């Protein structure tokens, strides 16, 4: 019996007398009959840890920007287990000992997270061996291979949102709200690179505006999404409406920009330069 296919089993038991009975049991003083009885037995099937975790894919590929900070969520591996009782189907994840120390994995969610910097690793590839254990991480596992590609973002994969708000307005909660909104509207994972005062082409800083720079990752493939693909999958009008509705401050100008960087983003000195291609790819104005 398998609990995953049969939770209960009903059996009918029949008992028959081999000799003829007589009397009241047969319906009368002189009546004769064979005596019998029937009972119904219900068998409740208990679960046993007879299934192992199964990964959605045997291998995964993720891409990490050379500018990503430690703690960046890169991709999520998912394994499922058909067992349903006694925590037998509760999957936990770990990395094998020979996996790169540049990454770790969240044991309950399967998110692979960077724990190092990659500014000197452009073009490198790291391999991780992910193990999925069932029974809350107690029983034997299945494995999957994760291939991590490190690359410098080209001109078409970085997105800059220009907000007409000073940097001081951007609390951690507000930044997370923007990230969650973008993720909910596109289905992509949003990796924030830097939130800073707006840097002009001249190198001067405009303190009245804020650059919100990020890139998007396709959670199904682990690949960084190009700017045009990201914009085509985003309802920009709805995004601005949500941001404006949930903001007590006035948002008078906000636009998405595809930008190129001639150097590594230096969040301390802000000395890098950005050329703003397609500066008004999407522009929206709100006045409250």
């Amino acid at each position: 019996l398998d609990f995953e296919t049969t939770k209960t089993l009903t059996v009918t038991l029949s008992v028959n007398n081999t000799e003829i009975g007589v009397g009241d049991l047969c319906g009368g003083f002189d009546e004769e009959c064979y005596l019998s009885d029937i009972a119904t037995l219900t068998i409740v099937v208990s679960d046993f840890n007879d299934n192992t975790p199964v990964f959605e894919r045997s291998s995964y590929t993720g891409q990490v920007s050379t500018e990503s900070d430690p703690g960046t969520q890169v991709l999520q591996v998912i394994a499922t287990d058909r067992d349903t009782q006694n925590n037998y189907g509760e999957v936990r994840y770990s990395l094998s000992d020979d996996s790169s120390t540049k990454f770790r994995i969240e044991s309950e969610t399967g998110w692979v997270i960077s724990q190092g910097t990659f500014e000197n690793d452009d073009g490198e590839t790291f391999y991780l061996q992910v193990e999925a254990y069932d029974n809350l991480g107690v029983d034997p596992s299945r494995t999957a291979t994760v291939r991590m590609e490190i690359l410098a973002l080209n001109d078409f994969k970085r997105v800059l949102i220009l907000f007409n708000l000073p940097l001081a307005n951007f609390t951690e909660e507000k930044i997370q709200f923007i990230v969650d909104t973008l993720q909910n509207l596109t289905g992509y994972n949003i990796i924030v690179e830097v939130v800073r005062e707006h840097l002009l082409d001249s190198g001067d800083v405009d303190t009245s505006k804020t650059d919100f720079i990020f890139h998007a990752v396709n959670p199904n493939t682990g690949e960084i999404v190009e700017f045009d693909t990201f914009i085509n999958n985003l309802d920009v009008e709805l995004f601005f409406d949500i941001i404006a509705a949930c903001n007590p401050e006035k948002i008078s100008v906000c636009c998405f920009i595809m930008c190129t960087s001639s150097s590594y983003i230096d969040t301390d000195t802000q000395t890098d330069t950005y050329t703003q291609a397609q500066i008004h790819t999407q522009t929206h104005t709100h006045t409250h």
Side-chain angles (χ1 to χ4, degrees), residues 1-9 43-46:
L1 296 177
D2 188 350
F3 179 83
E4 280 66 52
T5 58
T6 305
K7 301 293 189 295
T8 60
L9 184 66
I43 300 173
V44 178
V45 181
S46 297

Side-chain angles (χ1 to χ4, degrees), residues 67-256:
E67 299 165 8
S68 294
D69 293 326
T72 298
Q73 288 184 329
V74 182
L75 63 81
Q76 186 180 30
V77 299
I78 297 176
T80 56
D81 190 298
R82 293 180 62 236
D83 294 315
T84 56
Q85 285 194 333
N86 302 321
N87 297 322
Y88 292 147
E90 293 291 330
V91 178
R92 295 293 183 266
Y93 304 91
S94 65
L95 296 180
S96 63
D97 293 339
D98 58 351
S99 296
S100 170
T101 57
K102 292 261 190 179
F103 300 91
R104 64 180 177 86
I105 192 168
E106 289 186 340
S107 63
E108 294 188 12
T109 64
W111 272 105
V112 178
I113 298 173
S114 67
Q115 58 179 10
T117 58
F118 304 96
E119 61 264 32
N120 298 318
D121 295 319
D122 184 21
E124 294 289 333
T125 300
F126 297 94
Y127 290 90
L128 313 175
Q129 201 71 15
V130 180
E131 300 170 331
Y133 296 83
D134 62 4
N135 194 15
L136 292 175
V138 175
D139 288 333
S141 68
R142 291 282 184 92
T143 61
T145 301
V146 177
R147 183 175 185 267
M148 289 295 189
E149 301 173 349
I150 313 301
L151 67 155
L153 295 188
N154 62 31
D155 299 350
F156 305 101
K157 293 189 176 181
R158 179 178 287 112
V159 183
L160 183 155
I161 306 178
L162 178 59
F163 286 99
N164 190 36
L165 282 174
L167 179 61
N169 292 74
F170 286 81
T171 62
E172 289 187 11
E173 291 77 10
K174 183 169 293 184
I175 291 172
Q176 188 59 51
F177 174 72
I178 294 171
V179 168
D180 291 343
T181 302
L182 290 169
Q183 289 183 159
N184 291 335
L185 292 178
T186 64
Y188 296 135
N189 298 326
I190 302 301
I191 310 300
V192 178
E193 296 181 21
V194 64
V195 180
R196 66 179 186 191
E197 293 175 331
H198 178 49
L199 192 64
L200 302 172
D201 288 342
S202 64
D204 295 329
V205 173
D206 183 350
T207 60
S208 67
K209 296 180 176 63
T210 298
D211 292 339
F212 189 98
I213 302 172
F214 66 94
H215 61 270
V217 177
N218 187 323
N220 297 318
T221 65
E223 295 181 347
I224 296 174
V225 179
E226 293 194 359
F227 177 89
D228 287 344
T229 302
F230 176 81
I231 289 297
N232 288 338
N233 281 278
L234 174 67
D235 186 331
V236 178
E237 189 77 17
L238 179 57
F239 170 76
F240 286 121
D241 287 341
I242 293 173
I243 296 299
C246 297
N247 255 302
E249 302 90 355
K250 294 180 179 179
I251 299 181
S252 58
V253 178
C254 188
C255 61
F256 281 80

